[in-house]
Amino acid sequence: KKIGMRDCAFCRAPSPDDDATALAMIQTRVAKKDPVAIHSLGRKYYHGRLGLQKDMRRAVKLWEEAAELGSIESLFDLGNAYVFGNGVQEDEAKAVEFLAKAAMQGHAGSRHNLGYIEAQKGNNDRALRHLLISAKMGDNVSVENIKNYFMAGLATKEQYA
């Protein structure tokens, strides 16, 4: 079998064909405190994949561990968990804290979500600033939201430029 883009990023072994082997590969990396693997395992629990039962609380615990080890994606997922109360009590302040940490490290989706939170509070100027930053980072949903702001008269050409 030819080695390709879907192979393991660490060992270049072909991707496993069964869930048990895939889970074992991830758990091997988790045991070595790999933040990407820990985040990935959290996602598997969040969605109930690879034969794991869906467990939001376990996902959050794994994302907390991965975030402590430097995973920006885990900060993003933690922020969203606190926004929507997935596996944790809804807490906007904590959500903003996690999303802001990820956004400051260049995560476009986190910046977009900060804009969403500000828009929900009626802070359209702050929301627009977050959306402009995430749009410049390549977030297409933010671009569409900015267009909607412009069409609704909530954004000016000067802000949009």
Side-chain angles (χ1 to χ4, degrees), residues 82-147:
Y82 280 101
V83 166
F84 300 110
N86 293 330
V88 291
Q89 183 77 25
E90 268 186 49
D91 186 335
E92 186 178 289
K94 277 191 174 181
V96 168
E97 177 187 338
F98 286 119
L99 292 170
K101 283 180 183 178
M104 294 303 289
Q105 295 180 61
H107 194 276
S110 292
R111 183 66 70 175
H112 170 86
N113 288 4
L114 288 169
Y116 172 81
I117 291 168
E118 291 297 339
Q120 293 298 312
K121 293 194 263 183
N123 297 333
N124 291 322
D125 284 344
R126 288 179 60 96
L128 182 61
R129 277 187 249 143
H130 284 300
L131 294 173
L132 286 166
I133 293 168
S134 60
K136 286 178 184 175
M137 296 166 77
D139 188 75
N140 291 329
V141 176
S142 293
V143 172
E144 292 302 315
N145 288 341
I146 292 166
K147 288 179 188 176

Side-chain angles (χ1 to χ4, degrees), residues 146-157:
I146 292 166
K147 288 179 188 176
N148 293 337
Y149 265 59
F150 185 72
M151 300 288 278
L154 299 172
T156 64
K157 286 184 181 180

Side-chain angles (χ1 to χ4, degrees):
K1 188 174 175 181
K2 204 173 184 183
I3 293 178
M5 295 297 291
R6 305 279 306 167
D7 297 337
C8 176
F10 302 103
C11 65
R12 304 288 186 238
S15 295
D17 294 328
D18 64 290
D19 289 350
T21 305
L23 183 57
M25 287 177 75
I26 292 170
Q27 288 173 328
T28 298
R29 298 302 309 166
V30 167
K32 295 179 181 179
K33 298 294 183 195
D34 177 346
V36 174
I38 296 167
H39 174 258
S40 177
L41 185 59
R43 284 259 173 112
K44 302 306 180 209
Y45 275 106
Y46 181 86
H47 294 289
R49 295 199 176 123
L50 297 184
L52 297 171
Q53 187 164 348
K54 194 172 187 175
D55 185 344
M56 305 294 230
R57 288 188 178 148
R58 178 82 172 119
V60 168
K61 292 288 182 206
L62 288 163
W63 293 335
E64 287 171 345
E65 182 181 351
E68 288 175 17
L69 294 170
S71 170
I72 298 170
E73 286 295 324
S74 290
L75 290 170
F76 173 69
D77 285 338
L78 283 167
N80 289 333
Y82 280 101
V83 166
F84 300 110
N86 293 330
V88 291
Q89 183 77 25
E90 268 186 49
D91 186 335
E92 186 178 289
K94 277 191 174 181
V96 168
E97 177 187 338
F98 286 119
L99 292 170
K101 283 180 183 178
M104 294 303 289
Q105 295 180 61
H107 194 276
S110 292
R111 183 66 70 175
H112 170 86
N113 288 4
L114 288 169
Y116 172 81
I117 291 168
E118 291 297 339
Q120 293 298 312
K121 293 194 263 183
N123 297 333
N124 291 322
D125 284 344
R126 288 179 60 96
L128 182 61
R129 277 187 249 143
H130 284 300
L131 294 173
L132 286 166
I133 293 168
S134 60
K136 286 178 184 175
M137 296 166 77
D139 188 75
N140 291 329
V141 176
S142 293
V143 172
E144 292 302 315
N145 288 341
I146 292 166
K147 288 179 188 176
N148 293 337
Y149 265 59
F150 185 72
M151 300 288 278
L154 299 172
T156 64
K157 286 184 181 180
E158 291 80 26
Q159 289 171 309
Y160 196 26

